[in-house]
Structure formats: C-alpha cells, structure tokens
Amino acid sequence: MTLTTFALVRHGQTDWNAERRLQGSTDIPLNDVGRGQARDAVAFLSDQPWDTVVSSPLGRAAETAEIIADGLGLKVARLVPELTERSFGPAEGLQAGPELEALRIPGGFRGGETDEAAADRGIAALEELAEEFAGKRVLVVAHGTLIRLTLSRAIGRTLDSVQNAVLNLAHHHVTDGWQLEYFNGERVTAGVES
C-alpha cells in the first residue's frame, strides 16, 4: 500500500488578513508578521524529512514556501496553478458587512468560484501530486479556504478556518483514501473511505 504524506501549510499573514478582508485570488504580499510566521513554521516542519516543496503561484504562498524551504535546506520544486486560492470574485477586498453579504449566494459569492469547484480543484491537485510523488512526503504551501475545502472534501467532514502557517498533515492511501492527522497544529484522527 502506497502512503503519501502531505503537510498543507497556509501562507503567512498579509495586511488583508490582518484587516479581515477576503483575499481570494488577489495577489496580496506577505507582511512582516507573515514572514515571521513562515520562519517559525520551519521549527515544526523540521521534525520530519520532506521530499519536495510545492506552492501556489500567488506571491504570499510562494514567499512563504521559499522561506520554509530555505529553512529546511530545500528548494521549491515548482508552483502549481491549481493550488491558487479560490476566487471570491467581486467580494475580494471586502470585510464582513452588508456589502459582502449582498454578494453571498449558496456555496460562495456572486461572480466567484463555488465551494464545490474549489474543492474539486484542490482534490485533483493533491491527487496528481500523490501520483507523482507516490510514497513521498510533500510539503504544500497554499491558502486557507482552498486547504479547508479540499481537506473537508477529502475526509467527508466540514472543517473550521485554517490558521496562518500552522501544520495540517494528511495522508493519502492509494486504496484507503485520505486520513487527516493534524489540523491547525492539533492532532486529530479523521479518515474517509474512497
């Protein structure tokens, strides 16, 4: 049985995160707090060996991945467009309030990518990586909503928001499906039959 392990790490903080604005596919850079979070992530990731590092191409994720990879003595193997954060369409840049609520529709926001489409894209990206790096340990730097929706789909359970630069550890078995071991830095045990 081939077991592929994924560390799924959300990028470090950006100014829009600090302001509680929806970022989506808008390319907002890390701030200094976010760079510090990425450096801090090296400590918990260095407990285990990693075979490769891949990232979303958005700057905040790519920079987080570079900082982490450098700290682990690795290089970012490549940027994977399918790991880009979900598009929130015209809701991007907005904070909670009436303007944002006016754009909300079941499963997402008007003019944006649906929960279902983002989860489909995220699962497809991870399964392609599991095939390419079968039996390896893959460190993926991506985005909060994409990670949350993808892992929720993988284990068949709705998960809470993903924190910046913390460990989410999942295992992919070719025959047994997905198992989530850590979520937001806390040990869990949740599996799903494929």
Side-chain angles (χ1 to χ4, degrees):
M1 181 185 305
T2 304
L3 175 70
T4 307
T5 296
F6 290 92
L8 298 156
V9 178
R10 181 184 178 194
H11 59 80
Q13 186 188 79
T14 69
D15 287 347
W16 277 22
N17 287 150
E19 296 166 5
R20 303 189 58 76
R21 293 182 186 280
L22 277 183
Q23 286 179 124
S25 57
T26 303
D27 203 356
I28 305 300
L30 287 181
N31 61 24
D32 288 338
V33 169
R35 288 182 192 94
Q37 290 171 330
R39 286 189 294 274
D40 292 345
V42 172
F44 64 77
L45 291 166
S46 64
D47 290 349
Q48 304 175 44
W50 298 99
D51 294 302
T52 193
V53 181
V54 298
S55 175
S56 155
L58 293 180
R60 60 191 182 265
E63 186 178 358
T64 300
E66 289 289 343
I67 292 168
I68 290 172
D70 287 348
L72 296 173
L74 299 169
K75 296 282 182 211
V76 176
R78 72 171 179 278
L79 304 179
V80 179
E82 295 78 14
L83 295 174
T84 299
E85 179 61 296
R86 165 197 185 168
S87 168
F88 291 108
E92 291 185 11
L94 297 180
Q95 295 171 305
E99 191 179 359
L100 180 63
E101 287 309 308
L103 294 171
R104 193 178 297 275
I105 58 173
F109 293 93
R110 194 170 304 114
E113 186 177 20
T114 65
D115 289 354
E116 186 174 331
D120 288 346
R121 180 167 53 83
I123 283 286
L126 290 187
E127 289 182 347
E128 283 180 27
L129 289 167
E131 189 174 315
E132 180 179 353
F133 298 104
K136 305 280 189 187
R137 299 176 58 77
V138 183
L139 203 161
V140 175
V141 180
H143 305 273
T145 300
L146 185 74
I147 293 170
R148 177 179 59 80
L149 293 173
T150 300
L151 288 177
S152 292
R153 170 75 60 82
I155 67 167
R157 188 174 98 200
T158 302
L159 296 168
D160 293 330
S161 297
V162 176
Q163 298 168 16
N164 292 100
V166 298
L167 180 63
N168 302 288
L169 192 70
H171 306 284
H172 180 264
H173 299 262
V174 171
T175 54
D176 294 335
W178 290 91
Q179 179 185 17
L180 184 61
E181 185 178 352
Y182 282 87
F183 184 70
N184 280 334
E186 301 290 325
R187 183 180 284 280
V188 297
T189 306
V192 65
E193 295 301 315
S194 18

